[in-house]
Amino acid sequence: MLALFQELGAEISEREGSRLAVVLFDEVRVFHRPHPSANTDKGAVASIRRWLEQHGVIP
């Protein structure tokens, strides 16, 4: 997930707890870093996909 955001030119910063702020498309989205496993849950993936598609990015 982070590599995709970075490839798209996003600014990523750490927030409180396990959160990441992603600035992309002049918007700020805050995501929870998955733990203890490194797998992002299906709901988060679907949300990210919709966000990208709204801005013309086809994952």
Side-chain angles (χ1 to χ4, degrees), residues 19-36:
R19 291 176 172 69
L20 297 171
V22 177
V23 180
L24 186 62
F25 312 120
D26 293 323
E27 296 177 26
V28 178
R29 298 282 176 117
V30 178
F31 297 98
H32 190 265
R33 186 185 297 265
H35 64 81

Side-chain angles (χ1 to χ4, degrees), residues 30-49:
V30 178
F31 297 98
H32 190 265
R33 186 185 297 265
H35 64 81
S37 142
N39 299 322
T40 304
D41 67 51
K42 290 187 237 179
V45 171
S47 175
I48 293 166
R49 183 182 195 113

